[in-house]
Amino acid sequence: MANSKSSNCISPGMVETYSRLLVYSELETLGIKGYIDKVLPKVFQCQAWAYLYTLLEIFSYRVHHVQAHYRLTLLSTLHGISSHVPNHAQLSLMLESSALRLITGMGSYEMNSPKPQPGTNVKQNYTLYGDSEELNRMVILTLARTIHIGGLENNGAAWLKEVVTGIMQNTPHSLPSHTRKHFPQPLLDLVNDMPPVRDNANQIKRNVEEDWNLWNQLTNDQEKINHFSNSNMNSTFLCLLWKMIIESDESARIPVAAYKVLERTGAKQLAAHLRTFCDYLVIEFSKSSGGGHVTKAIDATNTMIWKYNVITLDRFVLSMVLRPHEGNEAQVCFFIIQVLLLKPSEFRTRVNDVCRTMNPDHHLQQNWHEKHMEIHQKYPEKFSLEFPSEETQSVTPSLPIYYGNVCLRFLPVFDVVVHRYIEMPAVQKSLETMFTHLGCLYKFHDKPITYLYNTFYYYETSLRNRQSLRQLIVVLVDQALKEVRPTNWAFTQEICSNYICPEEERTESWTPSAEYFHNLIGRMVGAMDTKVQAFPAMDWRFSEFPNEGAHGLYVTCVELMVLPMDPTTVGEQLVDVILENSCHIPGDKLPEWINAVGILLSYLPPIFWDGLHNRILQLLESDLMTKWSSHLTPTEMFDLSLVDSQKIDSPAAYLLAVIHSTWQHAGFNQLCGILDLVRDRLIPVIRTEEQMMFLLHMVGPFLQRLHTDKFMRVLFDVTIQLYELLLRVDQSCAHLKYMDTVCDLLYHIKYQFTGDTVKTDAERVVRQLRPALQLRLRFIAQVPINKTE
């Protein structure tokens, strides 16, 4: 059909059948690999735009679990396609919307430097950025999130610089300070090094006024069309169109010449006009002194969107919310978005009807397409300009829509809007109002829990003291999904009864107890056990997560991040589930419980790790470690299997097991944080040999991973700190019992990891040690040994 460029529409049943086949990873020919490698390129090659649109809809709304390298390949393909498609508003919008979903949907460990594909040594070649400024801005913002949460690989700095430089060369732009302040340092340094780009407000006003005067002076329509269709002209035509609507009667029509100009304006040019229009609106609203002008201005913008179909709501809001305004101008920008979304009835009524009529569980519906058509018949979507008369109309035919509508297209844009509002606390009230009215859309979000996790993790410092906002967001998302999800599908019954519920049902001053944390970890253990069903039965093929373990991990992290408690206290409570309540855990399940605590801590923001670090400090300063009285050696006392089997009261073994579990699951950021923890918090309190032995047992097993992941600078610095630790203990203790064990470890580190790289520091420290240690370390540092001892 694509080869023959058939105008026949594919039946909804066939489209749905193909969508279902893409869900099955076992299929090779009809699976996702064939879709990306064969079907999509062939349809594009045949210029069968209707079928291309359908394929993009399928991927956006029906395919749930696709490996990262396939999605990155598709993103590169979309960037290539977008520069070769005809001037077709609907298709261009779908390409941009699909790319936006792909970019924002990237996992925190997926957008990183290219690696060889499984089973090959060939590195995958993909392009993250294209010619769209908005999409390139989203790539930068997604990189900020992925680096902040997932860390940056040791060899990722060069790749990151290449991507950022390429984006800024393709689409030079700047980012507002309230956005940049959340960036991780490597990305912030790169962005700050780029030359700032900002349109001058006075220049925009002057350009609009000059072009407005010229439009009114030209009397011949053809002259107007030729002049304003010129791609070298200022990108002010949407501003002129807005002024035409503002200054005309409600019954008046836009001149035919204006339509002809828009017809000749390509998608890329229109995007530039839209950016100028957004900046011009901010200027106009900033100088506005009365409510009448604001109402008229919003009505004119609304008319451009819903009556004349000049721009679509989702594209306008995305462009507006990504403009780099600062201070008061940024607040005006956010005010325009709020008023445009909530004051006119067009969008709100669509949202309410879509939420009331449609069900996101499409795989369980027999009449999904009927409901879909019901919405489109009630609110038909038009992507072509509405011409004033039939004689001049040459409308591009609409492509068949099988799954999408303006509300579903708006969801990924709304995700961006929420993040931008969070960055500016001054507009929190506006965010709460918008979320209250539009939060029901999260019923259709393909990854609501992942979105909450990313939001609360990335903006943890900003949201830490805004408990009511965190609570509101989770409550509204949970309420939106309640009617299509079983009871207790995500959050525990206790928090749903006391905190994540409507205001009138909440328990005042609710504080989670130790039993609450015990039950929470128990549910996580059950979720990772294939023989236990910890959550209601769900079809994982069509769910957000591929299995119950992943689902349990993310919903538990979101629940912990929304608790009305200090994050450090939450971290302490998680560790205490093992330290204080190990007697309530079945002996054969203890490793699974320790593993559950470790994986949860490793997936929580850094402030939660302080709870674990506090418990380490408390142990090091306790009588057990400072006044050693046990008949067991430290190695025996730190052995979990020995301690647990003999029921010895030794919190050190349990804590060490939790530390190892946490760091085993840790990402790059946490591993590199070992250095700061050891140097700044632990070594200053260590005085005894037993304390030193605990720290060596804690750090030693992870030197291999630092070496494997090539974090050599961190490895070298940690090794130097171990030498400093030995010096500190040597100067504090009259007699050392475990010299041989410590020296054996230092030799192991030298010959396995560091070589002579830290030789200078090692010699400096060994020179200050007692002769017995100097003698044992003579092959690490050749220093004169005082044999008087």
Side-chain angles (χ1 to χ4, degrees):
M1 291 173 73
N3 275 328
S4 62
K5 297 188 180 179
S6 171
S7 59
N8 295 333
C9 293
I10 307 175
S11 72
M14 181 178 287
V15 175
E16 187 64 29
T17 301
Y18 183 53
S19 303
R20 294 289 179 95
L21 290 172
L22 289 176
V23 171
Y24 298 100
S25 56
E26 301 87 356
L27 295 176
E28 183 74 18
T29 307
L30 294 172
I32 197 67
K33 184 178 180 183
Y35 169 95
I36 291 175
D37 293 343
K38 297 177 182 177
V39 179
L40 196 68
K42 184 65 176 178
V43 168
F44 170 64
Q45 183 184 348
C46 296
Q47 298 185 8
W49 307 128
Y51 300 146
L52 177 62
Y53 187 92
T54 301
L55 288 173
L56 294 178
E57 271 205 304
I58 289 172
F59 196 90
S60 296
Y61 300 113
R62 285 296 183 267
V63 183
H64 297 270
H65 305 296
V66 180
Q67 294 177 43
H69 66 275
Y70 285 134
R71 282 180 280 127
L72 289 166
T73 301
L74 180 59
L75 180 59
S76 297
T77 303
L78 293 184
H79 285 318
I81 289 176
S82 61
S83 57
H84 294 92
V85 296
N87 185 18
H88 195 295
Q90 185 181 357
L91 183 58
S92 298
L93 180 64
M94 190 66 217
L95 284 165
E96 184 178 271
S97 179
S98 301
L100 177 64
R101 283 177 178 273
L102 282 168
I103 293 166
T104 57
M106 284 294 167
S108 298
Y109 298 91
E110 293 175 346
M111 191 180 277
N112 225 313
S113 54
K115 300 178 183 62
Q117 295 186 25
T120 71
N121 291 321
V122 181
K123 283 192 176 182
Q124 187 184 6
N125 185 23
Y126 58 81
T127 306
L128 292 175
Y129 54 89
D131 295 328
S132 166
E133 181 179 314
E134 283 71 32
L135 292 181
N136 286 350
R137 285 178 181 273
M138 289 310 306
V139 171
I140 295 285
L141 295 172
T142 304
L143 281 171
R145 188 249 301 166
T146 57
I147 295 170
H148 181 82
I149 297 176
L152 185 65
E153 292 181 349
N154 186 54
N155 58 351
W159 168 81
L160 180 65
K161 183 176 183 179
E162 180 186 336
V163 172
V164 174
T165 304
I167 286 174
M168 293 303 182
Q169 287 175 349
N170 268 27
T171 53
H173 62 266
S174 58
L175 295 149
S177 58
H178 54 265
T179 297
R180 281 184 280 115
K181 77 175 183 180
H182 293 91
F183 280 12
Q185 198 61 45
L187 182 61
L188 181 62
D189 292 341
L190 287 173
V191 171
N192 287 341
D193 286 344
M194 299 297 165
V197 178
R198 181 159 175 79
D199 288 324
N200 185 288
N202 292 328
Q203 184 63 45
I204 291 175
K205 283 180 65 176
R206 190 159 49 248
N207 290 343
V208 172
E209 291 304 319
E210 288 174 0
D211 289 345
W212 176 248
N213 293 334
L214 181 60
W215 176 270
N216 291 323
Q217 288 168 10
L218 293 174
T219 55
N220 185 288
D221 281 358
Q222 194 58 48
E223 287 182 359
K224 291 181 178 180
I225 296 168
N226 292 338
H227 179 82
F228 288 96
S229 300
N230 190 335
S231 59
N232 295 322
M233 286 299 299
N234 297 323
S235 53
T236 59
F237 196 72
L238 290 182
C239 307
L240 305 187
L241 199 60
W242 182 79
K243 287 176 72 71
M244 292 177 208
I245 297 171
I246 282 272
E247 299 188 8
S248 64
D249 298 331
E250 287 188 16
S251 57
R253 286 280 195 172
I254 294 175
V256 175
Y259 281 99
K260 290 295 185 182
V261 172
L262 290 171
E263 243 193 339
R264 296 185 182 185
T265 305
K268 189 175 179 180
Q269 286 177 275
L270 189 62
H273 285 268
L274 181 54
R275 286 189 284 274
T276 305
F277 176 50
C278 290
D279 292 340
Y280 183 68
L281 275 183
V282 171
I283 296 168
E284 286 293 303
F285 274 76
S286 298
K287 72 176 186 181
S288 175
S289 56
H293 179 71
V294 169
T295 302
K296 200 170 182 183
I298 286 294
D299 288 345
T301 310
N302 205 51
T303 299
M304 291 173 67
I305 295 171
W306 299 110
K307 183 176 179 181
Y308 296 128
N309 310 313
V310 176
I311 48 178
T312 59
L313 179 73
D314 48 321
R315 179 171 277 184
F316 172 80
V317 173
L318 180 65
S319 184
M320 178 66 87
V321 81
L322 292 175
R323 300 311 298 150
H325 297 297
E326 301 274 3
N328 291 334
E329 288 183 349
Q331 293 189 43
V332 170
C333 172
F334 295 150
F335 170 74
I336 293 170
I337 293 172
Q338 179 195 354
V339 175
L340 185 65
L341 291 176
L342 300 184
K343 188 174 184 294
S345 62
E346 284 85 352
F347 185 59
R348 283 188 295 106
T349 54
R350 283 168 170 80
V351 168
N352 293 334
D353 277 1
V354 166
C355 291
R356 185 171 54 251
T357 305
M358 301 186 70
N359 191 309
D361 292 333
H362 54 85
H363 58 288
L364 302 177
Q365 306 303 308
Q366 296 295 324
N367 61 343
W368 196 94
H369 188 71
E370 293 175 17
K371 298 293 185 183
H372 167 75
M373 292 309 298
E374 182 182 323
I375 291 294
H376 276 277
Q377 286 162 6
K378 188 172 183 180
Y379 304 106
E381 291 199 40
K382 298 175 182 177
F383 300 93
S384 300
L385 303 171
E386 286 292 315
F387 279 78
S389 64
E390 291 296 325
E391 298 82 43
T392 58
Q393 195 163 4
S394 58
V395 177
T396 306
S398 291
L399 305 175
I401 302 174
Y402 292 93
Y403 298 129
N405 57 57
V406 65
C407 298
L408 300 185
R409 284 201 315 275
F410 183 73
L411 249 179
V413 177
F414 192 48
D415 288 348
V416 182
V417 170
V418 172
H419 284 179
R420 301 288 76 73
Y421 275 65
I422 287 174
E423 291 168 355
M424 185 166 279
V427 296
Q428 177 172 324
K429 203 69 184 172
S430 297
L431 175 58
E432 292 173 355
T433 303
M434 277 200 305
F435 221 103
T436 303
H437 284 87
L438 304 177
C440 61
L441 279 177
Y442 280 84
K443 172 183 177 181
F444 301 97
H445 202 291
D446 55 341
K447 295 181 178 180
I449 296 298
T450 304
Y451 178 69
L452 290 176
Y453 173 81
N454 289 338
T455 302
F456 292 158
Y457 194 118
Y458 184 71
Y459 293 108
E460 192 279 325
T461 52
S462 179
L463 292 172
R464 190 179 303 169
N465 298 318
R466 297 156 77 183
Q467 177 187 323
S468 61
L469 179 58
R470 298 200 316 269
Q471 183 182 24
L472 176 71
I473 291 173
V474 174
V475 167
L476 291 175
V477 171
D478 183 58
Q479 293 296 317
L481 289 160
K482 222 161 201 175
E483 61 183 83
V484 293
R485 295 286 185 272
T487 305
N488 298 332
W489 71 279
F491 307 118
T492 57
Q493 182 61 46
E494 184 173 350
I495 198 171
C496 287
S497 302
N498 296 288
Y499 193 69
I500 303 178
C501 54
E503 192 170 354
E504 61 275 7
E505 300 175 16
R506 292 174 196 162
T507 303
E508 286 188 23
S509 305
W510 173 72
T511 303
S513 62
E515 183 183 1
Y516 164 82
F517 288 99
H518 181 86
N519 293 336
L520 194 67
I521 299 300
R523 187 184 69 164
M524 184 65 203
V525 171
M528 293 190 292
D529 189 340
T530 55
K531 299 176 183 177
V532 177
Q533 185 176 323
F535 291 90
M538 289 184 272
D539 190 336
W540 301 110
R541 295 170 304 167
F542 301 98
S543 298
E544 177 177 359
F545 299 100
N547 54 60
E548 191 175 34
H551 175 81
L553 172 62
Y554 280 91
V555 296
T556 305
C557 284
V558 170
E559 183 164 334
L560 289 168
M561 286 190 279
V562 81
L563 287 174
M565 293 176 68
D566 178 66
T568 304
T569 306
V570 173
E572 292 172 348
Q573 291 284 351
L574 290 175
V575 178
D576 288 345
V577 170
I578 304 300
L579 297 187
E580 306 292 338
N581 299 306
S582 59
C583 58
H584 299 296
I585 300 171
D588 60 327
K589 293 290 184 182
L590 181 60
E592 296 177 25
W593 280 67
I594 292 172
N595 181 60
V597 171
I599 195 171
L600 284 172
L601 281 172
S602 70
Y603 270 76
L604 288 169
I607 186 68
F608 289 82
W609 312 340
D610 286 349
L612 175 61
H613 300 166
N614 289 348
R615 289 293 181 255
I616 297 172
L617 275 172
Q618 288 174 11
L619 176 70
L620 290 175
E621 295 176 327
S622 67
D623 288 346
L624 172 67
M625 304 301 291
T626 57
K627 301 174 183 177
W628 191 268
S629 58
S630 173
H631 66 282
L632 299 174
T633 66
T635 300
E636 292 171 331
M637 189 65 90
F638 302 154
D639 186 340
L640 179 65
S641 58
L642 175 67
V643 167
D644 191 56
S645 63
Q646 298 185 14
K647 304 302 178 188
I648 300 171
D649 183 18
S650 173
Y654 294 99
L655 180 58
L656 189 63
V658 173
I659 296 166
H660 285 173
S661 172
T662 304
W663 288 356
Q664 179 65 33
H665 294 292
F668 308 120
N669 292 347
Q670 285 163 295
L671 277 183
C672 295
I674 291 176
L675 173 63
D676 296 331
L677 172 65
V678 169
R679 181 186 58 209
D680 301 335
R681 298 197 64 184
L682 302 186
I683 287 183
V685 304
I686 291 179
R687 296 286 186 278
T688 70
E689 205 174 1
E690 289 75 21
Q691 290 174 318
M692 176 179 69
M693 292 298 287
F694 182 83
L695 190 144
L696 294 178
H697 275 79
M698 184 175 78
V699 173
F702 295 92
L703 299 176
Q704 175 68 58
R705 185 165 169 206
L706 287 172
H707 183 267
T708 302
D709 290 343
K710 302 191 185 310
F711 285 98
M712 302 308 292
R713 186 68 262 164
V714 177
L715 174 60
F716 298 151
D717 289 344
V718 168
T719 304
I720 293 168
Q721 291 305 312
L722 297 184
Y723 281 100
E724 296 285 357
L725 172 64
L726 178 59
L727 174 62
R728 187 180 182 86
V729 173
D730 179 55
Q731 294 172 344
S732 301
C733 299
H735 177 65
L736 296 179
K737 295 176 285 185
Y738 309 109
M739 283 191 290
D740 290 336
T741 303
V742 175
C743 291
D744 285 348
L745 176 62
L746 293 177
Y747 275 111
H748 173 78
I749 294 172
K750 170 184 168 65
Y751 292 125
Q752 290 294 321
F753 307 131
T754 64
D756 289 332
T757 309
V758 298
K759 183 177 180 180
T760 303
D761 291 280
E763 289 181 346
R764 174 181 55 80
V765 171
V766 171
R767 194 172 283 111
Q768 303 174 64
L769 297 174
R770 66 184 67 186
L773 280 171
Q774 290 178 343
L775 184 64
R776 286 167 171 79
L777 296 174
R778 63 186 179 278
F779 298 111
I780 289 179
Q782 289 79 33
V783 297
I785 300 174
N786 183 358
K787 297 184 180 179
T788 336
E789 184 178 292

